[in-house]
Amino acid sequence: MNVEFINPFLSSLINVLATMAQTELTPGKPKIKKDEVARGDVSGLIGMVGPQTKGSFSITFDESLALAIMERMLGERPDGINEEVTDMVGEITNMVTGGAKNLLGEKGYDFDMATPLVVSGPGHTITHKCEGAKIIMPFTSDDGNANIEVSFDKL
């Protein structure tokens, strides 16, 4: 997969969390993901379709990181993952994808975004509905880990 397609998601995630939740993420090393098991406790998944390609993006948070982001954004920290936390993860997924869409649009790629789907629970799965390789990029923070996954057809 073309790095030109992944970097907008990385920079958008870092920007959204720094701006909206004063949370600093440190990127790790990207790799190919072979299974569908999420690497965290709550995930947002969004599909994208355009004239050049179709793909999907997901972000998965450890519960500790999701709760810390919730506290920074809304001033309250729930006891665990609840409906407000899953709504927030869906909104973050939307914001990150929107930011990446703008960056990709500057490079001539255009696509429409679906409504994000949020899944939570131990061992939940993320299914990307495209043929391309799934690239997983880990992030660490003082509050826990996050992982993004990007998969696109024919790039």
Side-chain angles (χ1 to χ4, degrees):
M1 183 186 300
N2 190 337
V3 141
E4 184 177 75
F5 241 78
I6 298 170
N7 286 341
F9 291 93
L10 307 182
S11 56
S12 182
L13 172 65
I14 289 168
N15 180 44
V16 165
L17 288 185
T19 306
M20 301 298 293
Q22 301 75 50
T23 300
E24 188 176 321
L25 293 179
T26 304
K29 188 174 165 68
K31 48 188 177 249
I32 303 286
K33 185 178 178 203
K34 302 285 191 195
D35 63 14
E36 294 187 344
V37 178
R39 307 293 193 267
D41 301 306
V42 58
S43 301
L45 172 68
I46 193 166
M48 298 164 282
V49 177
Q52 300 101 331
T53 187
K54 72 174 183 171
S56 57
F57 163 79
S58 73
I59 179 164
T60 302
F61 296 100
D62 287 350
E63 181 175 355
S64 58
L65 179 55
L67 297 180
I69 292 168
M70 180 86 173
E71 184 174 22
R72 290 187 189 118
M73 287 177 74
L74 300 177
E76 56 189 58
R77 185 183 184 96
D79 294 333
I81 295 170
N82 60 19
E83 189 177 338
E84 285 84 20
V85 174
T86 58
D87 286 351
M88 176 199 69
V89 169
E91 197 51 47
I92 289 171
T93 304
N94 238 350
M95 289 188 281
V96 171
T97 307
K101 177 182 176 173
N102 290 341
L103 293 169
L104 287 166
E106 293 169 8
K107 298 179 193 293
Y109 296 104
D110 186 38
F111 56 83
D112 292 322
M113 298 165 27
T115 302
L117 169 73
V118 179
V119 187
S120 64
H124 70 273
T125 58
I126 302 168
T127 304
H128 295 273
K129 304 277 189 207
C130 39
E131 306 297 317
K134 292 179 288 202
I135 306 297
I136 185 167
M137 178 83 178
F139 291 85
T140 56
S141 80
D142 293 342
D143 298 299
N145 300 323
N147 287 278
I148 64 172
E149 297 177 23
V150 182
S151 182
F152 280 96
D153 288 346
K154 322 177 263 185
L155 282 178

